[in-house]
Amino acid sequence: MPDETALGLDVVMLSRIQFALTIMFHYLFPPLTIGLGVVLVYLEGRYLWTKEIIYEQAARFWTRLFGLNFALGVVTGVVMEFQFGTNWAAYSRFVGDVFGSALAAEGIFAFFLESGFLSLLLFGWDRVGPKTHFFATVMVALGGIFSSVWIVIANSWQQTPTGHVLREHVVGERTALRAEIIDFWAMVFNPSTIHRLTHVWLGSFVLGACFVMSISAWYLLKGRHVDFARRSFIGALMLATVSSLAQAVSGHFNAEMVAHHQPAKLAAMEGLYETKAGAPLYLFGWPNSAERRVDWGVAIPSGLSLLIHQDPSAEVPGLDQLGPVYGEPPVWITFQAYHLMVGIGTLMIGATLVAWWFYRRGTLFEQRWLLWFFVASVVLAMVANEAGWVAAETGRQPWIVYPTIVDGVATGGLRTADGVSESVHADQVLGSIIFFGVIYATLGVLWLVLLNGKIQHGPELDEGDDGETVSERRHDIGMADA
């Protein structure tokens, strides 16, 4: 009798659902704190450069919101590591050598740096001088960036594994394969690391900037803390504009990398069921895997061939050719997640450029419709980050560690169905999903309540001090350090 629930969900699917739910909730916070860390460095740097107290007040306010999001990121990240052992024991044995080194490096070089200076960032405002506090802010921002480096390296190795060999080990009464590193730097600089890392950083910067623009735009619409909100908004708008434009370039190089190393993923992203010369690039559509076509699709003719091969007549392999070798990813969800990410990214580029056009005319803060868009922009940026992760992870199925193709045969990888723990049953996983659902829903509500409270309270601005120079208000410790 198969091990599945009354709904027909087996232990593999339930374990995938559980991991997806927990990591998608967790993934709301790390990109946000990475992007917000850059904003804090900018604001404190401007404060040291201009001596205008408004920048210090802005940095203090955004630091409080940073601390809240950082705490939620740490709490929600712990659960995932337990799932590696409980639900994915076979996978953990296979990748343990690789993940062990990457996660150990993350702990040594990133998390300790980040957490070591965090207390100084949060509570050191009136205890150390401005330069010392700025140094702590830079260290925390770098810690978040370094942390993402090792996490992305570990994930990228699963997408394009290099620098390892497979060896058999005795596990109980059986033998099992394990990937062991023979070239650490080949593992670190596997073919997708740089492209994916750049994409993750830029997505984080856009999210952090949209978080600041969203709250600042809301203050402007309500007529509260106007000078503070304008300066915060413009600083974040610069970061969002540069990052979203660079993201388009990064996306192009990512697509070329995927086409070369994970062609079945690219075919799923574009709903390319049949191999075609002059393959189209879909703007949107509805993949129909039963009929092997994209319904209601609008596409740029030959656009995919031109994007990947710089030749509009080049042939792009479809799932008819790739499926028997690589296996076929779930096309609908990969296609929609990918196009949702690209669509929001394109919308963000347009919105930031329109904002600068109004700024040059001196009427940016009079455009209430545009300010309302930026109030919602943080949700769009979160959705784009999540959609990018979904496209990347569903597109590599049925593999949890992607294979190498030798003479048309996939070797050396690990299928997702083979990575699950044998001792875990479907009803147990379903029960834990319900339990985690209640816990995470409670955390989500708590996060929103605390966030709303801090936003409603606003920055600590003394009456009439907007734009006042620090020379008129510098506190004793600041004078000693300046």
Side-chain angles (χ1 to χ4, degrees):
M1 184 175 179
D3 182 14
E4 60 184 32
T5 65
L7 298 175
L9 296 173
D10 62 22
V11 67
V12 177
M13 180 55 69
L14 285 167
S15 294
R16 291 180 62 191
I17 291 172
Q18 184 187 78
F19 193 77
L21 289 176
T22 52
I23 197 171
M24 287 179 74
F25 188 76
H26 169 70
Y27 198 54
L28 293 174
F29 305 106
L32 180 55
T33 52
I34 290 172
L36 202 50
V38 174
V39 174
L40 294 181
V41 170
Y42 164 78
L43 289 172
E44 286 204 55
R46 289 281 293 177
Y47 166 59
L48 290 176
W49 181 263
T50 65
K51 308 302 181 188
E52 292 185 67
I53 197 69
I54 188 71
Y55 288 112
E56 186 209 38
Q57 293 165 338
R60 284 176 181 254
F61 173 71
W62 297 114
T63 297
R64 291 200 293 273
L65 300 187
F66 175 92
L68 174 62
N69 289 297
F70 183 87
L72 265 293
V74 171
V75 169
T76 55
V78 173
V79 176
M80 293 184 305
E81 300 193 10
F82 284 110
Q83 290 178 64
F84 289 140
T86 56
N87 297 48
W88 302 98
Y91 158 79
S92 296
R93 282 194 294 271
F94 188 88
V95 305
D97 198 47
V98 178
F99 263 48
S101 59
L103 295 182
E106 192 257 348
I108 294 171
F109 298 114
F111 189 71
F112 284 167
L113 178 66
E114 193 175 26
S115 56
F117 284 94
L118 184 65
S119 58
L120 198 56
L121 169 66
L122 295 177
F123 307 113
W125 285 103
D126 298 316
R127 295 177 173 81
V128 299
K131 291 181 180 177
T132 303
H133 194 274
F134 176 69
F135 179 75
T137 303
V138 172
M139 291 299 104
V140 171
L142 287 177
I145 291 173
F146 289 160
S147 179
S148 68
V149 168
W150 294 104
I151 298 300
V152 172
I153 285 172
N155 186 275
S156 295
W157 179 85
Q158 295 176 106
Q159 309 273 348
T160 54
T162 55
H164 69 285
V165 294
L166 296 181
R167 292 197 174 99
E168 285 190 344
H169 288 264
V170 177
V171 179
E173 298 178 352
R174 295 180 300 172
T175 59
L177 286 174
R178 187 172 75 184
E180 297 184 355
I181 298 173
I182 57 172
D183 186 338
F184 179 77
W185 294 112
M187 182 275 289
V188 169
F189 292 104
N190 66 75
S192 64
T193 291
I194 299 299
H195 295 291
R196 301 181 77 249
L197 192 56
T198 305
H199 213 59
V200 166
W201 281 346
L202 292 171
S204 300
F205 297 159
V206 172
L207 176 55
C210 286
F211 182 77
V212 173
M213 287 192 294
S214 173
I215 297 170
S216 300
W218 187 80
Y219 283 149
L220 290 168
L221 286 164
K222 298 298 178 184
R224 297 175 55 189
H225 320 304
V226 172
D227 188 46
F228 157 84
R230 286 186 175 189
R231 296 185 191 225
S232 295
F233 187 95
I234 291 301
L237 181 62
M238 285 191 287
L239 180 61
T241 307
V242 173
S243 299
S244 46
L245 286 170
Q247 192 71 305
V249 178
S250 166
H252 170 70
F253 287 113
N254 251 313
E256 288 188 333
M257 180 274 296
V258 170
H260 186 70
H261 294 284
Q262 295 178 295
K265 177 190 284 189
L266 179 75
M269 284 175 169
E270 286 297 338
L272 191 65
Y273 290 103
E274 306 295 334
T275 300
K276 284 185 181 178
L281 184 71
Y282 280 99
L283 302 180
F284 56 85
W286 193 270
N288 183 339
S289 293
E291 302 292 335
R292 313 294 287 175
R293 66 171 187 249
V294 176
D295 294 334
W296 309 300
V298 174
I300 301 172
S302 302
L304 185 59
S305 294
L306 185 63
L307 176 70
I308 300 302
H309 299 291
Q310 294 76 54
D311 178 1
S313 60
E315 182 177 279
V316 180
L319 292 171
D320 59 329
Q321 184 182 127
L322 299 167
V325 179
Y326 291 90
E328 186 166 316
V331 177
W332 187 88
I333 189 171
T334 306
F335 179 98
Q336 301 297 6
Y338 172 69
H339 283 80
L340 184 60
M341 175 191 69
V342 173
I344 292 175
T346 305
L347 179 63
M348 204 60 70
I349 291 173
T352 53
L353 294 179
V354 167
W356 282 116
W357 187 76
F358 282 116
Y359 179 78
R360 290 290 301 273
R361 295 167 63 91
T363 60
L364 170 60
F365 299 118
E366 298 170 14
Q367 311 302 318
R368 295 182 65 82
W369 63 273
L370 189 56
L371 292 177
W372 277 116
F373 170 84
F374 282 110
V375 170
S377 67
V378 65
V379 177
L380 293 173
M382 283 183 172
V383 170
N385 274 275
E386 298 279 3
W389 178 83
V390 170
E393 299 307 298
T394 59
R396 67 169 145 139
Q397 298 302 319
W399 302 94
I400 197 168
V401 177
Y402 220 64
T404 301
I405 305 302
V406 179
D407 297 329
V409 178
T411 59
L414 178 70
R415 290 182 182 272
T416 304
D418 296 328
V420 75
S421 301
E422 295 180 358
S423 59
V424 175
H425 300 290
D427 288 338
Q428 294 172 329
V429 182
L430 179 60
S432 64
I433 290 175
I434 295 171
F435 176 74
F436 284 137
V438 172
I439 297 294
Y440 277 46
T442 304
L443 282 175
V445 170
L446 181 64
W447 172 56
L448 290 174
V449 169
L450 292 175
L451 190 63
N452 182 63
K454 290 181 182 298
I455 294 171
Q456 293 293 341
H457 181 274
E460 299 287 349
L461 301 177
D462 295 340
E463 187 176 354
D465 67 356
D466 283 5
E468 189 175 2
T469 60
V470 75
S471 60
E472 299 167 320
R473 289 179 42 80
R474 186 181 298 171
H475 51 72
D476 293 340
I477 294 176
M479 290 181 69
D481 191 52

